[in-house]
Every structure is written in structure tokens, then in C-alpha cells.
Amino acid sequence: MEPKPRNAALFTLTIFFFFLSTSSSTSLLYQTLVLNPLSTTPHSLSWPESESESLVSDSTAATTTLELHHLDSLSLNKTPEQLFHLRLQRDAFRVKALTSLAAVGNGSRPRGSGFSSSVISGLAQGSGEYFTRIGVGTPPKYVYMVLDTGSDVVWVQCAPCRKCYTQVDPLFDPRKSRSFAGISCGSPLCLKLDSPGCNSRKTCLYQVSYGDGSFTTGDFSTETLTFRGTRVGRVALGCGHNNQGLFVGAAGLLGLGRGRLSFPTQTGRRFNRKFSYCLVDRSASSRPSSVVFGDPAVSRTARFTPLLANPKLDTFYYVELLGISVGGTPVRGISASFFKLDRTGNGGVIIDSGTSVTRLTRPAYNALRDAFRTGTSTLKRAQDFSLFDTCYDLSGKTEVKVPTVVLHFRGADVALPATNYLIPVDSDGTFCFAFAGTMSGLSIVGNIQQQGFRVVFDLAGSRVGFAPRGCA
């Protein structure tokens, strides 16, 4: 057979690449983003609570469905723009604290029914993004407490207080609780602390610092916590008499990490080391957020990815992120190596409830951002905003088409709603791509990307799951 003329072969090759480039530029997958500005309607609190209600026993927890609340409910005197700026400020402190803890490292452990509890998000004066109402002591005194998947120790501000920040509720006074009990210095619970101390009465002392300047110190004790209809006895918690930092507004913190003293680990036998939460879109919805503990926390529709173990740090929820797709196409330039957790405990990807904006290692973020910009070339660009370098002027529009974004975890592809990655940053129609780069090796999947999913933490099965449309 005679060979084709060289110019004919070149023509054929040119046509091939023309069709290849044309199909690749027009075959992106898009979805509709309905444009909602920053929320302008404050959501008031209506949190039913009772100190005289009938409580189940400590050995037989029941599943409880509660009315839930969200948004910046405790900051009714601030504009949406002010709240958003405060949120980004908190986020910067949060990321600094997590990366600091990851760099230092620390030191890690079935049957029951479950309960659920109310969640409020966005306390403007505090560092915690999500709060729940919990009764402390006997009889229970109800206070706001931060829910935090990035820390372990449960603690509450206590009277008498040598140094305390301002909180919404009165200080908890352990002298007025029938169930409060100190922990001896030599007890196993005391020895589980990273930095245990001992006072002259031979009872245990604790101290926790959060890397951003926040800290709490005081007596390490056991106390009863009440989640409305469910009472949980002998929870080891810090009774803080010296507290400082960004927790202003809330009375303390409910540690939901993987460590030895976290609430899920302490209540492992009772609630089978399972909990989940669903966080609503705080700019577009008045529906409630929720947290559920126990077997009912596991959604049947969740897609699961295995939890990874960090040999240097047992607090965080590490997962394996393999890649990211934009418009149905894997982003070139992003590989699993960018997110690898190495044997020394460096790098990796964590799921965190307290971080808002997802942080990716800088090379991965740059590749993702460039792919998204390519898919939104028809949208009018706007100036950078705070940490966001990809923003759009969508004023005058009610909806736009944006390329899909999918996070590819091992065993679980998580397709994000458009509202989870293109978010309003003001009331004038400016929307920004809600990812950011970091020079740290640690990548963090934040709560904006988690919105609307029921995120399941199954410590018994060593896995994390994502169930879409999980807040209903």
C-alpha cells in the first residue's frame, strides 16, 4: 500500500486535534446556581429546654429528635457583611490553630441507641462555628457549647473564675451540682491528658491550648451532661477557672475528635462511637442544622471513605483525597501525592467542622482554580475578596451556570452543590470560589463544602460518610 502524502497526514492530524479540543471545551458538565445574597434576616432563638423533664437512665439512651437552629443567632446587631468578615477572621485563626497542632503532633481507642441535639452556627464573637445547648451538672444548667471535630477535651467555664471571657449564660458552679466529682491524680483518666497536673488535694488538673492563643486550665473532673431527654453520666471534662481566647459567647467546648478523651470515645459503649451532623447553607436557608449520636447517626445513603491513622496525632479525621473533577473532567495537575499523609504524620487531608473555607495545598489549589476559571470564562470577573482570588460580579442575575465540582475520596465521590463552592460575599452580587490555597502540607475540607450533606463519623467502622440532602 502506498503511503499517504505527508500534507494529507498533517491535515488529518490537524482535524483530529481540532475535534479533540472542541469536544473537550464544550463537553464540560454544568449545574445551575440560584443566586442568593448574604442572609439579611436574623434568626431568633427558640430553644425549648427543661430542667424538670423526664430523663432516661444512663444505661438506656433513647433517640431524640429536636428542633434545631443555625446562623449567627446570637449576633442580631451586626450586618451580613460584618458577620461574613468576622467569619473569615475566625477561619484564619482556626486554620492557624489546626496547622500548628498538626505540626506539633500529640499522642488514640461497642453498643447503644442514640440521641440528637440542637446545633446553632456562626456565633460572631467566638471561634467555634457551631454550637449546641447542653445541660451541665445535676440539676442541669443549660449552656451553649462549641462542637469541635478538631479537638478532644470537653470543658466548661467554672466558678469561681480567676480569668474568664464573657459568655451568654451564667458560669457553671460545680459546688451546686450533685454529680460533680474530682478525678485523682493517679487515675487512668488523668493520665490520658497530654499535660496532666496535680494540686495539693491530689486531684487532677488539666490545661489545653489551641495554637491560636486560646487556652483553658482548671480541674479535671467527671460530670453529667444532659441533651434534653438524654442524660450521660460521668463524662470526663475540664472545669476551667482560667480561660482566654476566641471562645467568647459559648460556655465551653464539646470535643468530637478521635482522641482518647473526646466525647465520642468516652461514650463509645453507649453510642457505638458514631455521630453525624448536617450543616445547612447559612446564607440561603432557615432550616435547622443537627447533630446525632449513636447508631441512628449513620445514614443509609452515605458513601463512605476509610479513616486514616496519623501516628503522631490521633485527634483529626484524616481521609484520602485522590483528586478533584471540574465539569466532569479530572483536573490536570492534581494528583493524590499532593494530599498524602506520610509515615511521619505530615501532610494529609482532614474533615473539620470548625473551618469554613476548604484549604488545599497550593499546587492543588492553583490547578483547581485555573480549571474553574476556564469553565466560567463567560462570567464577569470581580476584584479579589479577602482570601478569595476568584470572584465574579453576578449582580442583576437570578441564576448562572457553573461547572460541576466533585471531590474524589477513596471509595466515595462527593459531588458538591453549586452553593457549596460559589458563595456570596456581600449584598451586591459578588460571589467567590470558596476554596483557598495553603502553604501548609495539611489540607482541610471545611464546612462550606460540607453544607447539606449528613457527614457521618463512624469510629467503630473507621470510616467517614457523606449523604447528600441529609438535613431534611
Side-chain angles (χ1 to χ4, degrees), residues 176-255:
K176 298 179 180 179
S177 171
R178 297 193 301 271
S179 49
F180 183 87
I183 295 173
S184 64
C185 296
S187 75
L189 280 176
C190 187
L191 298 178
K192 287 180 180 179
L193 289 166
D194 292 331
S195 303
C198 196
N199 62 19
S200 58
R201 303 187 306 275
K202 304 297 182 182
T203 57
C204 188
L205 301 176
Y206 80 101
Q207 59 178 1
V208 178
S209 59
Y210 290 93
D212 59 358
S214 302
F215 66 84
T216 175
T217 64
D219 299 312
F220 202 50
S221 55
T222 61
E223 185 55 285
T224 295
L225 299 183
T226 301
F227 298 76
R228 295 196 64 217
T230 299
R231 181 173 55 201
V232 184
R234 293 190 56 78
V235 176
L237 57 77
C239 190
H241 300 288
N242 189 3
N243 317 287
Q244 178 176 301
L246 297 168
F247 296 101
V248 178
L253 183 145
L254 190 73

Side-chain angles (χ1 to χ4, degrees), residues 6 24 70 86 129 179 249 294 330 381 392 399 468:
R6 183 176 178 183
S24 64
H70 77 294
L86 287 168
E129 285 299 293
S179 49
R381 289 288 298 275
Y392 302 88
E399 62 180 43

Side-chain angles (χ1 to χ4, degrees), residues 94 98 101-102 106 108-109 147-152 254-267 272-277 291-293 305-310 313-321 339 341 347-354 409 442-446 450 455-466:
R94 173 72 175 189
L98 294 183
L101 181 57
N106 61 8
S108 193
R109 251 171 250 296
L147 273 71
D148 187 8
T149 56
S151 61
D152 293 322
L254 190 73
L256 298 180
R258 297 176 70 184
R260 295 165 293 182
L261 289 171
S262 74
F263 184 75
T265 300
Q266 287 196 57
T267 58
N272 213 7
R273 299 180 70 199
K274 297 173 183 176
F275 72 95
S276 67
Y277 56 69
V291 60
V292 180
F293 293 88
T305 184
L307 279 169
L308 303 181
N310 184 340
L313 182 66
D314 61 357
T315 297
F316 296 159
Y317 292 94
Y318 284 91
V319 292
E320 189 174 4
L321 183 60
F339 311 115
L341 176 64
V349 179
I350 65 172
I351 307 294
D352 182 51
S353 64
F409 298 99
L442 179 69
S443 294
I444 306 170
V445 179
Q450 298 174 46
V455 184
V456 181
F457 296 83
D458 180 2
L459 281 70
S462 192
R463 58 183 187 164
V464 172
F466 303 87

Side-chain angles (χ1 to χ4, degrees), residues 112-135:
S113 184
F115 69 86
S116 60
S117 183
S118 306
V119 172
I120 283 186
S121 66
L123 179 63
Q125 307 100 310
S127 66
E129 285 299 293
Y130 291 89
F131 296 77
T132 189
R133 194 80 166 153
I134 296 175

Side-chain angles (χ1 to χ4, degrees), residues 22 24 36 38 45 93 105 135 150 163 167 205 245 302 343 364 382 414 431 438 443:
T22 301
S24 64
N36 291 299
L38 285 178
L45 295 180
F93 284 117
K163 185 175 184 180
Q167 65 179 54
L205 301 176
R343 293 181 179 179
V414 179
F431 284 69
T438 176
S443 294

Side-chain angles (χ1 to χ4, degrees), residues 21 43 52 80 117 134 145 150 152 168 204 229 236 255 290 294 337 349 386-387 451 457 469:
S21 61
H43 290 253
S52 60
S117 183
I134 296 175
M145 292 182 72
D152 293 322
V168 173
C204 188
S290 65
S337 62
V349 179
S386 184
L387 77 169
Q451 287 174 171
F457 296 83
R469 296 176 295 279

Side-chain angles (χ1 to χ4, degrees), residues 38 79-89 91 357 359 365 373 381-393 422-437 448:
L38 285 178
T79 67
E81 286 82 0
Q82 289 172 328
L83 292 175
F84 189 73
H85 278 284
L86 287 168
R87 181 180 180 186
L88 295 181
Q89 290 174 16
D91 218 39
V357 179
R359 269 40 174 220
Y365 169 72
R373 286 179 176 177
R381 289 288 298 275
Q383 290 185 335
D384 296 353
F385 184 94
S386 184
L387 77 169
F388 302 122
D389 64 4
T390 301
C391 299
Y392 302 88
D393 178 3
L422 196 58
I423 64 170
V425 297
D426 59 26
S427 299
D428 300 322
T430 305
F431 284 69
C432 295
F433 190 50
F435 288 80
I448 291 175

Side-chain angles (χ1 to χ4, degrees), residues 401-424:
K401 295 287 187 180
V402 294
T404 58
V405 175
V406 180
L407 306 179
H408 300 289
F409 298 99
R410 181 169 297 281
D413 292 337
V414 179
L416 301 179
T419 51
N420 287 30
Y421 54 88
L422 196 58
I423 64 170

